[in-house]
Coordinates of all heavy atoms in Angstrom, one line a residue:
M137 N 213.9 119.0 240.9 CA 214.2 118.2 239.8 C 215.8 118.3 239.5 O 216.3 119.4 239.4 CB 213.5 118.6 238.6 CG 213.6 117.7 237.5 SD 213.1 118.5 235.8 CE 214.7 119.2 235.3
E138 N 216.4 117.1 239.3 CA 217.8 117.1 239.0 C 218.0 117.0 237.5 O 217.2 116.5 236.7 CB 218.5 115.9 239.5 CG 218.4 115.7 241.1 CD 219.5 116.6 241.7 OE1 220.5 117.0 241.1 OE2 219.2 117.1 242.9
A139 N 219.1 117.7 237.0 CA 219.5 117.6 235.7 C 219.8 116.1 235.2 O 220.2 115.3 236.0 CB 220.7 118.6 235.4
D140 N 219.7 115.8 234.0 CA 220.0 114.5 233.6 C 221.6 114.4 233.3 O 222.3 115.2 233.6 CB 219.2 114.0 232.3 CG 219.5 114.9 231.1 OD1 220.5 115.6 231.1 OD2 218.7 114.8 230.1
A141 N 221.9 113.2 232.6 CA 223.3 113.1 232.4 C 224.0 114.0 231.5 O 225.2 114.3 231.7 CB 223.5 111.6 231.9
D142 N 223.2 114.6 230.7 CA 223.8 115.7 229.8 C 223.8 117.1 230.4 O 224.0 118.1 229.8 CB 223.1 115.7 228.5 CG 223.3 114.4 227.7 OD1 224.3 113.9 227.8 OD2 222.3 114.0 227.1
N143 N 223.4 117.2 231.7 CA 223.2 118.4 232.4 C 222.1 119.3 231.8 O 222.3 120.5 231.6 CB 224.6 119.2 232.6 CG 224.7 119.9 233.9 OD1 224.0 119.5 234.9 ND2 225.4 121.0 233.9
A144 N 221.1 118.7 231.5 CA 219.9 119.3 230.8 C 218.8 119.4 231.8 O 218.5 118.4 232.5 CB 219.5 118.5 229.6
V145 N 218.1 120.5 231.8 CA 217.1 120.8 232.6 C 215.8 121.2 231.7 O 215.9 122.0 230.9 CB 217.3 121.9 233.6 CG1 216.1 122.4 234.3 CG2 218.5 121.6 234.6
V146 N 214.7 120.5 232.0 CA 213.5 120.8 231.2 C 212.4 121.5 232.2 O 212.2 120.9 233.2 CB 212.9 119.5 230.6 CG1 211.6 119.8 229.8 CG2 213.9 118.8 229.8
I147 N 212.0 122.7 231.7 CA 211.1 123.4 232.6 C 209.9 123.7 231.7 O 209.9 124.2 230.4 CB 211.6 124.6 233.1 CG1 212.8 124.3 234.1 CG2 210.6 125.6 233.8 CD1 213.5 125.6 234.6
E148 N 208.7 123.4 232.2 CA 207.4 123.8 231.5 C 207.2 125.3 231.9 O 207.1 125.6 233.0 CB 206.3 122.9 231.9 CG 204.9 123.3 231.2 CD 203.9 122.3 231.7 OE1 204.0 121.1 231.6 OE2 202.8 122.8 232.3
A149 N 206.8 126.0 230.9 CA 206.3 127.4 231.1 C 204.9 127.6 230.6 O 204.6 127.2 229.5 CB 207.3 128.4 230.4
G150 N 204.0 128.1 231.5 CA 202.7 128.5 231.2 C 202.3 129.8 231.5 O 203.1 130.6 231.8
D151 N 201.0 130.0 231.5 CA 200.5 131.3 231.7 C 199.9 131.5 233.0 O 198.7 131.3 233.2 CB 199.4 131.7 230.7 CG 199.9 131.6 229.3 OD1 201.1 131.7 229.0 OD2 199.1 131.2 228.3
I152 N 200.5 131.9 234.2 CA 201.9 132.4 234.2 C 202.6 131.5 235.3 O 202.4 131.8 236.5 CB 202.0 133.9 234.6 CG1 201.3 134.6 233.4 CG2 203.4 134.4 234.6 CD1 201.2 136.1 233.6
Y153 N 203.4 130.7 235.0 CA 204.1 129.8 235.9 C 205.3 129.1 235.3 O 205.3 129.0 234.0 CB 203.2 128.7 236.5 CG 202.7 127.7 235.5 CD1 203.4 126.5 235.3 CD2 201.5 127.9 234.8 CE1 203.0 125.6 234.4 CE2 201.1 127.1 233.8 CZ 201.8 125.9 233.6 OH 201.4 125.0 232.7
Y154 N 206.2 128.6 236.1 CA 207.2 127.5 235.7 C 206.8 126.2 236.4 O 206.4 126.2 237.6 CB 208.6 127.9 236.1 CG 209.2 129.0 235.4 CD1 209.9 130.1 236.1 CD2 209.3 129.0 234.1 CE1 210.5 131.1 235.5 CE2 209.8 130.1 233.3 CZ 210.5 131.1 234.1 OH 211.2 132.2 233.4
E155 N 207.1 125.1 235.8 CA 207.0 123.9 236.5 C 208.0 122.9 236.1 O 208.1 122.6 234.9 CB 205.6 123.2 236.3 CG 205.4 121.8 236.8 CD 205.6 121.6 238.3 OE1 205.1 122.6 239.1 OE2 206.2 120.8 238.7
P156 N 209.0 122.5 236.9 CA 209.1 122.9 238.4 C 209.6 124.3 238.6 O 210.3 124.8 237.7 CB 210.0 121.8 239.0 CG 210.9 121.5 237.8 CD 210.1 121.6 236.6
E157 N 209.6 124.7 239.8 CA 210.2 126.0 240.3 C 211.6 125.8 240.9 O 212.1 126.9 241.2 CB 209.2 126.8 241.2 CG 208.0 127.2 240.5 CD 207.0 128.1 241.5 OE1 207.2 127.9 242.7 OE2 206.3 128.9 240.9
A158 N 211.8 124.6 241.2 CA 213.2 124.3 241.8 C 213.9 123.2 241.1 O 213.4 122.1 240.8 CB 213.0 123.9 243.3
V159 N 215.1 123.6 240.5 CA 215.8 122.6 239.7 C 217.2 122.6 240.3 O 217.8 123.6 240.8 CB 215.8 123.0 238.3 CG1 214.3 122.8 237.8 CG2 216.3 124.4 238.0
A160 N 218.0 121.5 240.0 CA 219.4 121.5 240.3 C 220.2 120.9 239.0 O 219.7 120.1 238.3 CB 219.5 120.4 241.4
A161 N 221.5 121.4 238.9 CA 222.4 121.0 237.9 C 223.7 121.0 238.3 O 224.0 121.5 239.5 CB 222.1 121.9 236.7
A162 N 224.6 120.4 237.6 CA 226.0 120.3 237.9 C 226.8 121.6 237.4 O 226.3 122.2 236.5 CB 226.6 119.1 237.2
T163 N 227.9 121.8 237.9 CA 228.7 122.9 237.5 C 229.1 122.8 236.0 O 229.4 121.6 235.6 CB 230.0 123.1 238.3 OG1 229.5 123.1 239.7 CG2 230.8 124.2 237.9
G164 N 229.1 123.9 235.3 CA 229.5 123.8 233.8 C 228.4 124.2 233.0 O 227.4 124.8 233.5
P165 N 228.5 123.8 231.7 CA 227.3 124.2 230.8 C 226.1 123.5 231.2 O 226.1 122.3 231.3 CB 227.8 123.8 229.4 CG 229.4 123.7 229.6 CD 229.6 123.2 231.0
I166 N 225.1 124.2 231.3 CA 223.7 123.7 231.6 C 222.7 124.1 230.5 O 222.7 125.2 230.2 CB 223.2 124.3 233.0 CG1 224.2 124.1 234.1 CG2 221.8 123.9 233.3 CD1 224.0 125.0 235.3
R167 N 222.2 123.0 229.9 CA 221.2 123.1 228.9 C 219.8 123.4 229.4 O 219.3 122.3 230.0 CB 221.3 122.0 227.9 CG 220.5 122.2 226.6 CD 220.9 121.1 225.6 NE 220.0 121.2 224.5 CZ 220.1 122.1 223.5 NH1 221.1 122.9 223.4 NH2 219.4 121.9 222.4
F168 N 219.1 124.4 229.2 CA 217.8 124.6 229.6 C 216.9 124.4 228.4 O 217.1 125.0 227.3 CB 217.5 126.0 230.1 CG 217.9 126.3 231.6 CD1 219.2 126.6 231.9 CD2 217.1 125.9 232.6 CE1 219.6 126.8 233.1 CE2 217.4 126.1 233.9 CZ 218.7 126.5 234.2
T169 N 215.8 123.6 228.5 CA 214.7 123.5 227.5 C 213.5 124.1 228.2 O 213.1 123.7 229.3 CB 214.6 122.0 227.2 OG1 215.7 121.6 226.4 CG2 213.3 122.0 226.2
L170 N 212.9 125.0 227.5 CA 211.7 125.7 228.1 C 210.5 125.2 227.1 O 210.5 125.5 225.8 CB 211.8 127.2 227.9 CG 210.9 128.0 228.8 CD1 211.0 127.7 230.3 CD2 211.2 129.5 228.5
E171 N 209.7 124.5 227.7 CA 208.4 124.1 226.9 C 207.3 125.0 227.2 O 206.7 124.9 228.3 CB 208.1 122.6 227.4 CG 209.2 121.6 227.1 CD 208.7 120.2 227.6 OE1 207.9 120.1 228.4 OE2 209.4 119.3 227.1
N172 N 207.0 125.8 226.2 CA 206.0 126.9 226.5 C 204.6 126.3 226.0 O 204.3 126.2 224.9 CB 206.3 128.1 225.7 CG 205.3 129.2 226.0 OD1 204.3 129.0 226.6 ND2 205.7 130.4 225.5
V173 N 203.9 126.0 227.1 CA 202.5 125.4 226.8 C 201.4 126.5 226.9 O 200.2 126.2 226.9 CB 202.2 124.3 227.9 CG1 203.1 123.1 227.7 CG2 202.1 124.8 229.2
G174 N 201.8 127.8 227.0 CA 200.8 128.8 227.2 C 200.6 129.5 225.8 O 200.9 129.1 224.7
V175 N 199.7 130.6 225.9 CA 199.3 131.3 224.8 C 200.1 132.6 224.6 O 199.7 133.4 223.7 CB 197.8 131.5 224.7 CG1 197.2 130.1 224.7 CG2 197.4 132.4 225.8
V176 N 201.0 132.9 225.4 CA 201.9 134.1 225.3 C 203.4 133.7 225.4 O 203.7 132.6 225.9 CB 201.6 135.2 226.4 CG1 200.2 135.6 226.2 CG2 201.9 134.7 227.8
E177 N 204.2 134.4 225.0 CA 205.7 134.2 225.0 C 206.2 134.1 226.5 O 205.6 134.8 227.3 CB 206.5 135.1 224.2 CG 206.3 136.6 224.9 CD 207.2 137.6 224.0 OE1 208.2 137.3 223.4 OE2 206.7 138.7 224.0
H178 N 207.2 133.3 226.7 CA 207.9 133.2 227.9 C 209.4 133.1 227.7 O 209.9 132.7 226.7 CB 207.4 132.1 228.8 CG 206.0 132.2 229.2 ND1 205.6 133.0 230.2 CD2 204.9 131.5 228.8 CE1 204.3 132.9 230.2 NE2 203.8 132.0 229.5
D179 N 210.2 133.5 228.7 CA 211.6 133.3 228.7 C 212.1 132.8 230.0 O 211.4 132.7 230.9 CB 212.4 134.6 228.1 CG 212.3 135.7 229.0 OD1 211.8 135.6 230.2 OD2 212.9 136.8 228.6
L180 N 213.4 132.7 230.1 CA 214.0 132.2 231.4 C 215.4 133.1 231.5 O 216.3 132.9 230.6 CB 214.2 130.7 231.4 CG 214.8 130.2 232.7 CD1 214.3 128.9 233.0 CD2 216.4 130.3 232.9
V181 N 215.4 133.9 232.5 CA 216.5 134.9 232.7 C 217.2 134.5 234.1 O 216.5 134.2 235.0 CB 216.1 136.3 232.7 CG1 217.2 137.2 233.2 CG2 215.5 136.7 231.3
V182 N 218.5 134.4 234.0 CA 219.2 134.2 235.3 C 219.7 135.5 235.9 O 220.4 136.2 235.2 CB 220.5 133.3 235.1 CG1 221.2 133.1 236.4 CG2 219.8 131.9 234.7
E183 N 219.3 135.8 237.1 CA 219.4 137.1 237.7 C 221.0 137.5 238.1 O 221.5 138.5 237.8 CB 218.5 137.3 239.0 CG 218.7 138.6 239.5 CD 217.6 138.8 240.7 OE1 217.4 137.9 241.5 OE2 216.9 139.9 240.6
E184 N 221.5 136.5 238.8 CA 222.8 136.8 239.4 C 223.9 137.0 238.4 O 225.0 137.3 238.8 CB 223.2 135.7 240.4 CG 222.3 135.7 241.7 CD 221.0 135.0 241.4 OE1 220.7 134.6 240.4 OE2 220.2 134.9 242.4
V185 N 223.8 136.7 237.2 CA 224.9 136.8 236.2 C 224.6 138.0 235.2 O 225.1 137.9 234.1 CB 225.1 135.5 235.4 CG1 225.8 134.5 236.4 CG2 223.9 134.9 234.8
G186 N 223.8 138.9 235.7 CA 223.5 140.1 234.9 C 222.2 140.0 234.1 O 222.0 140.6 233.0
D187 N 221.3 139.3 234.7 CA 220.0 139.1 234.0 C 220.1 138.7 232.6 O 219.6 139.3 231.7 CB 219.2 140.5 234.0 CG 218.9 140.9 235.5 OD1 218.3 140.1 236.3 OD2 219.3 142.0 235.9
V188 N 220.9 137.6 232.4 CA 221.1 137.0 231.0 C 219.9 136.1 230.6 O 219.6 135.3 231.5 CB 222.4 136.3 230.9 CG1 222.5 135.2 231.9 CG2 222.7 135.8 229.5
E189 N 219.4 136.3 229.5 CA 218.3 135.5 228.9 C 219.0 134.2 228.4 O 219.8 134.2 227.5 CB 217.5 136.3 227.9 CG 216.4 135.4 227.4 CD 215.7 136.0 226.2 OE1 216.2 135.9 225.1 OE2 214.5 136.6 226.5
V190 N 218.5 133.1 229.0 CA 219.1 131.8 228.6 C 218.3 131.2 227.5 O 218.8 130.6 226.5 CB 219.1 130.9 229.7 CG1 219.8 129.4 229.3 CG2 220.0 131.4 230.9
V191 N 217.0 131.4 227.5 CA 216.2 130.8 226.5 C 214.9 131.5 226.5 O 214.4 132.1 227.4 CB 215.8 129.3 226.7 CG1 215.2 129.1 228.1 CG2 215.1 128.6 225.7
H192 N 214.3 131.7 225.2 CA 213.0 132.4 224.9 C 212.2 131.5 224.1 O 212.7 130.9 223.0 CB 213.4 133.7 224.2 CG 212.2 134.5 223.9 ND1 212.0 135.8 224.5 CD2 211.1 134.3 223.2 CE1 210.8 136.3 224.1 NE2 210.2 135.4 223.2
A193 N 211.0 131.3 224.4 CA 210.1 130.3 223.8 C 208.7 131.1 223.4 O 208.1 131.7 224.3 CB 209.7 129.1 224.5
E194 N 208.4 131.1 222.1 CA 207.2 131.7 221.7 C 206.1 130.9 222.2 O 206.2 129.7 222.5 CB 207.1 131.9 220.2 CG 208.2 132.8 219.6 CD 208.1 134.2 220.1 OE1 207.0 134.7 220.3 OE2 209.0 134.9 220.3
A195 N 204.8 131.4 222.2 CA 203.6 130.6 222.6 C 203.5 129.3 221.9 O 203.6 129.2 220.6 CB 202.4 131.5 222.3
G196 N 203.4 128.2 222.7 CA 203.2 126.9 222.2 C 204.5 126.2 221.6 O 204.4 125.1 221.1
E197 N 205.6 126.9 221.8 CA 206.9 126.4 221.2 C 207.8 125.9 222.3 O 207.7 126.4 223.5 CB 207.5 127.4 220.2 CG 206.6 127.8 219.1 CD 207.4 128.6 218.1 OE1 208.4 129.2 218.5 OE2 206.9 128.6 216.9
T198 N 208.7 125.0 221.9 CA 209.8 124.7 222.8 C 211.2 125.0 222.3 O 211.4 125.0 221.1 CB 209.8 123.0 222.9 OG1 208.5 122.6 223.6 CG2 211.0 122.6 223.8
A199 N 212.0 125.6 223.2 CA 213.3 126.2 222.8 C 214.2 125.8 223.8 O 213.9 125.5 224.9 CB 213.2 127.8 222.7
S200 N 215.5 125.8 223.4 CA 216.6 125.6 224.4 C 217.7 126.5 224.3 O 218.0 127.2 223.3 CB 217.2 124.2 224.0 OG 216.3 123.2 224.2
G201 N 218.4 126.7 225.4 CA 219.6 127.6 225.5 C 220.6 127.0 226.5 O 220.2 126.3 227.5
T202 N 221.9 127.4 226.4 CA 222.9 126.9 227.4 C 223.5 128.1 228.1 O 223.7 129.1 227.6 CB 223.9 126.1 226.6 OG1 223.3 125.0 226.0 CG2 225.0 125.6 227.6
I203 N 223.8 127.9 229.5 CA 224.5 128.8 230.2 C 225.5 128.1 231.1 O 225.3 127.0 231.5 CB 223.6 129.7 231.0 CG1 224.3 130.8 231.8 CG2 222.8 128.8 232.1 CD1 223.5 131.8 232.6
E204 N 226.7 128.7 231.2 CA 227.7 128.1 232.1 C 227.8 128.8 233.4 O 227.9 129.9 233.5 CB 229.1 128.1 231.3 CG 230.1 127.3 232.2 CD 231.3 126.9 231.2 OE1 231.2 127.2 230.0 OE2 232.2 126.3 231.8
L205 N 227.6 128.0 234.4 CA 227.6 128.7 235.8 C 228.5 128.0 236.8 O 228.7 126.8 236.8 CB 226.1 128.5 236.3 CG 225.0 129.3 235.6 CD1 223.7 129.0 236.1 CD2 225.3 130.8 235.7
E206 N 229.0 128.8 237.8 CA 229.8 128.3 238.9 C 228.8 127.7 239.9 O 227.6 128.1 239.8 CB 230.6 129.5 239.4 CG 231.6 130.0 238.5 CD 232.6 129.1 238.0 OE1 233.1 128.3 238.9 OE2 233.0 129.0 236.8
P207 N 229.3 127.0 240.8 CA 228.5 126.4 241.9 C 227.8 127.7 242.7 O 228.4 128.6 242.9 CB 229.4 125.7 242.8 CG 230.6 125.3 241.9 CD 230.7 126.5 241.0
G208 N 226.6 127.4 243.0 CA 225.9 128.4 243.8 C 224.5 128.3 243.7 O 223.9 127.3 243.1
T209 N 223.8 129.2 244.2 CA 222.2 129.3 244.2 C 221.9 130.5 243.4 O 222.4 131.6 243.5 CB 221.5 129.4 245.5 OG1 222.0 128.3 246.3 CG2 220.1 129.4 245.4
Y210 N 221.0 130.2 242.3 CA 220.7 131.2 241.3 C 219.2 131.4 241.3 O 218.4 130.4 241.5 CB 221.2 130.9 239.9 CG 222.7 130.8 239.9 CD1 223.3 129.6 240.2 CD2 223.4 131.9 239.6 CE1 224.7 129.5 240.1 CE2 224.8 131.9 239.4 CZ 225.3 130.6 239.8 OH 226.7 130.6 239.7
T211 N 218.7 132.6 241.0 CA 217.3 132.9 240.8 C 217.0 133.0 239.3 O 217.8 133.7 238.6 CB 217.0 134.2 241.5 OG1 217.3 134.1 242.9 CG2 215.5 134.6 241.3
F212 N 216.0 132.4 238.9 CA 215.6 132.6 237.4 C 214.2 133.1 237.4 O 213.4 132.9 238.3 CB 215.8 131.4 236.6 CG 215.0 130.1 237.0 CD1 213.7 130.0 236.6 CD2 215.6 129.2 237.8 CE1 213.0 128.8 236.8 CE2 214.8 128.0 238.1 CZ 213.6 127.9 237.7
Y213 N 213.9 133.9 236.4 CA 212.5 134.4 236.2 C 212.2 134.7 234.8 O 213.1 134.6 234.0 CB 212.4 135.7 237.1 CG 213.3 136.9 236.6 CD1 212.9 137.8 235.6 CD2 214.7 136.9 237.0 CE1 213.7 138.7 235.2 CE2 215.5 137.9 236.5 CZ 215.0 138.9 235.6 OH 215.8 139.8 235.2
C214 N 210.9 134.9 234.6 CA 210.5 135.3 233.3 C 210.5 136.8 233.1 O 209.9 137.6 233.9 CB 209.2 134.8 232.9 SG 208.5 135.1 231.3
S215 N 211.2 137.3 232.0 CA 211.4 138.8 231.9 C 210.2 139.5 231.2 O 210.3 140.7 230.8 CB 212.7 139.1 231.3 OG 212.7 138.8 229.9
I216 N 209.3 138.7 230.6 CA 208.2 139.3 229.9 C 207.4 140.2 230.9 O 207.1 139.9 232.1 CB 207.2 138.2 229.2 CG1 208.0 137.3 228.4 CG2 206.1 138.9 228.5 CD1 208.8 137.9 227.3
E217 N 207.0 141.3 230.4 CA 206.4 142.3 231.4 C 205.3 141.8 232.3 O 204.4 141.2 231.7 CB 205.9 143.6 230.6 CG 205.5 144.6 231.6 CD 205.2 146.0 230.8 OE1 205.4 146.0 229.6 OE2 204.7 146.9 231.5
G218 N 205.5 141.9 233.6 CA 204.5 141.5 234.4 C 204.5 140.1 234.9 O 203.9 139.7 236.0
H219 N 205.3 139.3 234.2 CA 205.3 137.8 234.7 C 206.1 137.5 235.9 O 205.6 136.6 236.7 CB 206.0 137.0 233.5 CG 205.1 136.9 232.3 ND1 205.3 136.1 231.2 CD2 204.0 137.8 231.9 CE1 204.3 136.3 230.3 NE2 203.6 137.3 230.6
R220 N 207.2 138.1 236.2 CA 207.8 137.9 237.4 C 207.1 138.3 238.6 O 207.0 137.6 239.6 CB 209.3 138.7 237.4 CG 210.1 138.3 238.6 CD 211.4 138.9 238.7 NE 212.3 138.3 239.6 CZ 213.6 138.7 239.9 NH1 214.1 139.7 239.3 NH2 214.3 138.0 240.8
T221 N 206.4 139.5 238.5 CA 205.6 139.9 239.6 C 204.4 139.0 239.8 O 203.8 139.0 240.9 CB 205.2 141.4 239.5 OG1 204.6 141.5 238.2 CG2 206.5 142.3 239.5
A222 N 204.0 138.3 238.8 CA 202.9 137.4 239.0 C 203.4 136.1 239.5 O 202.6 135.1 239.6 CB 202.2 137.2 237.6
G223 N 204.6 136.0 239.7 CA 205.2 134.7 240.3 C 205.9 133.7 239.5 O 206.2 132.7 239.9
Q224 N 206.2 134.2 238.3 CA 207.0 133.3 237.4 C 208.5 133.4 237.7 O 209.1 134.2 237.0 CB 206.6 133.6 235.9 CG 207.0 132.4 235.0 CD 206.5 132.6 233.6 OE1 206.2 133.6 233.1 NE2 206.5 131.5 232.9
G225 N 208.9 132.6 238.6 CA 210.3 132.6 239.0 C 210.6 131.3 239.6 O 209.7 130.5 239.9
G226 N 211.9 131.0 239.8 CA 212.3 129.8 240.4 C 213.8 129.9 240.9 O 214.4 130.9 240.8
R227 N 214.2 128.7 241.4 CA 215.6 128.7 242.0 C 216.4 127.5 241.4 O 215.8 126.4 241.1 CB 215.4 128.4 243.6 CG 216.8 128.2 244.2 CD 216.6 127.5 245.6 NE 215.8 128.5 246.4 CZ 216.3 128.9 247.6 NH1 217.3 128.4 248.2 NH2 215.6 129.7 248.4
L228 N 217.6 127.8 241.2 CA 218.5 126.9 240.5 C 219.6 126.7 241.4 O 220.4 127.6 241.8 CB 218.9 127.4 239.1 CG 220.3 126.7 238.6 CD1 219.7 125.2 238.1 CD2 220.7 127.3 237.3
E229 N 219.9 125.3 241.8 CA 221.0 125.0 242.6 C 222.1 124.4 241.7 O 221.9 123.4 241.0 CB 220.7 124.0 243.7 CG 219.7 124.6 244.7 CD 220.4 125.4 245.8 OE1 221.6 125.5 245.8 OE2 219.6 126.0 246.6
V230 N 223.3 125.0 241.7 CA 224.4 124.4 240.9 C 225.6 124.0 241.8 O 225.9 124.7 242.6 CB 224.9 125.5 239.8 CG1 226.1 125.1 239.1 CG2 223.8 126.0 238.9
G231 N 226.0 122.8 241.5 CA 227.1 122.3 242.3 C 227.2 120.8 242.2 O 226.5 120.1 241.5
Ligands
LIG587 CU1 206.5 134.5 231.2

């Protein structure tokens, strides 16, 4: 999925997955919106920049956060205990 003109990426988070798991955005500030359709909390953390949490959404809620990234390939994951090992992760291409 490509980011829109505002460099915004929308990801659905459920129990326990992201949809989509592969997203692309342009260099600069990237706005992530996490739509949590699950019954537990989820977040989105970018690994390569020091495991920074970009956005956190409580169960059933939608939240947004922004991160500025250089061109490259990044890994994102949910830091709620057990979620990453259950497969809640994805890849972000910036450039
Ligand atoms: Cu999660």
Side-chain angles (χ1 to χ4, degrees):
M137 190 195 89
E138 297 285 332
D140 68 11
D142 295 325
N143 214 26
V145 172
V146 179
I147 297 176
E148 178 182 307
D151 308 331
I152 295 174
Y153 66 90
Y154 289 131
E155 174 59 39
E157 293 184 338
V159 296
T163 304
I166 303 162
R167 182 171 176 82
F168 278 93
T169 295
L170 199 61
E171 298 176 344
N172 186 348
V173 299
V175 297
V176 299
E177 64 182 327
H178 296 287
D179 66 4
L180 190 149
V181 171
V182 178
E183 182 169 48
E184 288 82 0
V185 289
D187 297 303
V188 61
E189 181 185 80
V190 180
V191 56
H192 182 115
E194 296 298 329
E197 296 190 340
T198 295
S200 296
T202 300
I203 186 170
E204 187 156 356
L205 294 171
E206 299 297 319
T209 301
Y210 297 88
T211 301
F212 61 85
Y213 64 92
C214 181
S215 73
I216 307 305
E217 187 174 357
H219 291 197
R220 187 179 193 181
T221 54
Q224 194 170 25
R227 175 195 296 234
L228 167 67
E229 296 281 351
V230 177

